[in-house]
């Protein structure tokens, strides 16, 4: 049970890192409590995958195996403020084929898992939650249930916001609950969305409708806990009417396809994403508000950056060296910081009920909409995978 890398967490970020290292000299252990469930029906949890991250998934052999009939491109986006502000983006105007792709989380997870299972350099350790971690000068060890110990030169924490690896490594994290939850559900619509995404900054939260294949959309309503409870308490027909009304009827009547679910929203910054023989990726390294719809893109870019760094190392170099890991940390210093504070700031700006701020924020949307050079530059920046 001796490895080069031990990846703790087989979610999207962790599994994509393992897949990105296929065909390399690295011996990898992937530690995960349970295999992902087989996806049935439509998954209410979806992600907006940037073109850059779609390219990454294609490079590691995932994208081309996803069912194209379950993926929807985003060709335009409309953002509306709470006092008349409006901002529109178009892939055509920005010289892009699409702004993003809307993909079900569960199906991406399953395809990544099946791909990694077939890798000759990966050992899947499923069902074992680590019990202890010890970092030595030349190695790191994890104690698993059943008195099993695995050894490696680098441990990668890909185990989410409440990362066990991060805690064991003694890396401080500042977690700030928003007092909000993201309510998600899928709907069929009377009107064709024409591959447009919509977002409303409302007094009761931030409502987003993302296109799915056919006349379907995925809803994410980020709102205060008590309002989330009221949405979850509605029966299907009433929830459809509530969402259609909040969406100004742009897609006509809406019928619930998958039951509503909710998850807590948190803002998190860590003191460092690396320590001797430890690196963090994905939600273990950063947590952001979902208003941008791009959260997992940060995790994919983490995996891509760390994999590229490791693949370039000469054979004699230790992948767990702090000097090596600091190179990864530098490569990932700017993007998560900008995304986190941009989304955090927007959430706070539109969450304020101050009438002066309301005028400023809506004027800002309108001004940006009237400056096509600025607007299109923002789109290209996001599409490149740097948000």
């Amino acid at each position: 049970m001796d490895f080069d890398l031990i990846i703790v967490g087989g979610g999207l970020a962790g599994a994509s890192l393992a897949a990105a290292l296929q065909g390399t000299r690295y011996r990898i252990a992937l530690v995960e409590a349970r295999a992902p469930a087989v996806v049935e029906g439509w998954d209410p949890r979806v992600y907006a995958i940037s073109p850059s991250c779609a390219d990454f998934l294609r490079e590691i052999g995932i994208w081309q195996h996803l069912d194209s009939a379950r993926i929807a491109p985003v060709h335009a986006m409309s953002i509306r403020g709470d006092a008349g502000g409006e901002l529109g983006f178009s892939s055509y105007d920005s010289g892009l084929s699409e702004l993003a792709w809307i993909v079900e989380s569960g199906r991406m997870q399953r395809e990544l898992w099946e791909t990694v299972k077939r890798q000759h350099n990966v050992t899947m350790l499923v069902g074992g939650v680590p019990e202890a971690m010890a970092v030595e000068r030349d190695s790191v060890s994890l104690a698993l249930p059943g008195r099993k110990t695995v050894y490696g030169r680098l441990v990668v924490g890909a185990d989410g916001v409440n990362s066990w690896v991060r805690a064991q490594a003694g890396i401080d994290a500042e977690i700030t609950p928003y007092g909000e939850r993201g309510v998600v559900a899928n709907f069929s619509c009377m009107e064709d969305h024409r591959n447009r995404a919509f977002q409303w900054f409302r007094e009761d939260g931030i409502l987003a409708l993302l296109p799915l294949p056919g006349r379907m959309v995925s809803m994410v309503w980020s709102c205060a806990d008590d309002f989330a409870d009221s949405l979850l308490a509605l029966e299907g027909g009433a929830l459809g009417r509530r969402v259609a009304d909040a969406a100004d009827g742009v897609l006509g009547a809406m019928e619930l396809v998958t039951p509503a679910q909710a998850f807590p929203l948190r803002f998190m910054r860590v003191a460092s994403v690396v320590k001797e023989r430890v690196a963090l990726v994905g939600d273990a390294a950063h947590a952001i508000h979902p208003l941008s719809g791009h959260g997992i893109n940060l995790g994919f870019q983490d995996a891509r950056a760390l994999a590229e760094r490791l693949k370039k190392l000469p054979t004699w170099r230790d992948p767990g060296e702090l000097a090596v890991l600091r190179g990864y940390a530098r490569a990932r210093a700017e993007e998560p910081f900008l995304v986190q504070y941009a989304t955090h700031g927007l959430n706070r700006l539109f969450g304020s009920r101050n009438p002066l701020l309301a005028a400023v924020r809506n004027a800002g949307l309108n001004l940006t909409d009237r400056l096509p050079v600025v607007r299109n530059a923002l789109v290209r920046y996001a599409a490149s995978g740097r948000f």
Side-chain angles (χ1 to χ4, degrees):
M1 303 298 283
D2 208 357
F3 302 93
D4 297 302
L5 271 75
I6 304 171
I7 302 173
V8 179
L12 295 174
S16 67
L17 172 61
L21 292 170
Q22 58 189 303
T24 66
R25 67 180 185 277
Y26 295 109
R27 295 160 301 161
I28 302 168
L30 184 61
V31 180
E32 174 56 57
R34 64 187 66 83
V38 175
V39 179
E40 296 181 2
W42 287 91
D43 189 344
R45 191 81 182 262
V46 304
Y47 288 109
I49 303 300
S50 72
S52 175
C53 286
D55 288 342
F56 169 61
L57 293 175
R58 190 176 293 108
E59 290 165 8
I60 64 176
I62 304 301
W63 189 260
Q64 50 271 51
H65 294 296
L66 294 173
D67 185 353
S68 60
R70 309 214 29 138
I71 300 175
V74 180
H75 293 147
M77 183 168 187
S78 172
I79 301 174
R80 302 181 185 185
D82 55 351
E86 188 166 354
L87 175 61
F89 297 104
S90 162
S91 59
Y92 177 80
D93 291 340
S94 305
L96 300 169
S97 56
E98 62 280 319
L99 299 176
W101 299 91
I102 307 302
V103 188
E104 295 164 276
S105 174
R107 291 183 181 272
M108 266 195 303
Q109 175 66 74
R110 193 70 195 179
E111 185 56 46
L112 273 165
W113 188 264
E114 292 301 320
T115 295
V116 172
K117 276 174 60 178
R118 295 191 293 268
Q119 282 183 226
H120 298 301
N121 65 331
V122 174
T123 299
M124 312 286 277
L125 300 176
V126 182
V129 177
E131 296 176 343
M133 183 173 84
V135 178
E136 307 294 342
R137 184 174 175 225
D138 298 319
S139 67
V140 58
S141 63
L142 289 185
L144 300 179
R147 297 185 178 180
K148 181 189 296 183
T149 301
V150 293
Y151 300 87
R153 293 190 288 169
L154 171 62
V155 167
V156 178
D159 48 346
V161 174
N162 300 314
S163 172
W164 178 88
V165 171
R166 189 181 65 230
Q168 292 294 305
I171 298 176
D172 292 333
E174 182 182 350
I175 301 177
T176 305
Y178 280 111
E180 300 176 354
R181 278 179 287 167
V183 180
V184 297
N186 296 330
F187 296 87
S188 61
C189 309
M190 179 180 293
E191 303 294 335
D192 190 347
H193 52 62
R194 294 182 292 167
N195 294 104
R196 294 173 297 166
F198 300 89
Q199 190 169 53
W200 291 266
F201 287 88
R202 298 168 45 86
E203 289 190 2
D204 53 21
I206 302 169
L207 171 64
L209 296 179
L210 306 174
L212 290 174
R215 291 189 176 182
M216 285 182 57
V217 294
S218 180
M219 176 200 79
V220 184
W221 200 330
S222 305
C223 53
D225 287 332
D226 55 351
F227 188 73
D229 288 336
S230 70
L231 292 177
L232 294 171
L234 295 174
E235 55 86 22
L239 181 59
R241 291 189 293 273
R242 183 73 182 84
V243 175
D245 181 64
D248 301 324
V250 294
L251 296 176
M254 301 177 66
E255 183 177 345
L256 189 67
V257 174
T258 57
Q261 301 176 14
F263 54 93
L265 306 183
R266 290 168 285 187
F267 175 84
M268 185 193 73
R269 287 284 294 171
V270 298
S272 174
V273 297
V274 298
K275 204 166 182 178
E276 190 77 44
R277 305 211 169 274
V278 177
L280 305 177
V281 299
D283 287 348
H286 36 67
I288 68 171
H289 196 281
L291 67 86
S292 71
H294 285 285
I296 191 53
N297 289 314
L298 291 178
F300 285 146
Q301 294 290 12
D302 291 344
R304 179 185 237 170
L306 183 55
E308 288 176 353
R309 182 79 178 167
L310 294 175
K311 286 190 285 190
K312 290 177 181 177
L313 289 183
T315 55
W316 53 267
R317 197 75 186 268
D318 184 343
E321 275 184 43
L322 190 55
V324 170
L325 300 178
R326 280 174 175 159
Y328 159 69
R330 286 193 296 272
R332 298 300 297 148
E334 179 185 1
E335 181 188 355
F337 177 85
L338 290 175
V339 178
Q340 281 188 307
Y341 281 98
T343 54
H344 181 72
L346 282 171
N347 181 58
R348 289 294 183 249
L349 177 62
F350 278 90
S352 172
R353 302 276 64 87
N354 186 312
L356 179 59
L357 284 179
V360 170
R361 66 200 177 208
N362 285 276
L365 288 178
N366 289 327
L367 178 60
T368 304
D369 193 55
R370 293 187 179 94
L371 296 173
V373 173
V374 175
R375 185 184 64 228
N376 294 336
L378 289 172
V379 172
R380 289 191 294 272
Y381 188 66
S384 70
R386 300 183 62 81
F387 310 108

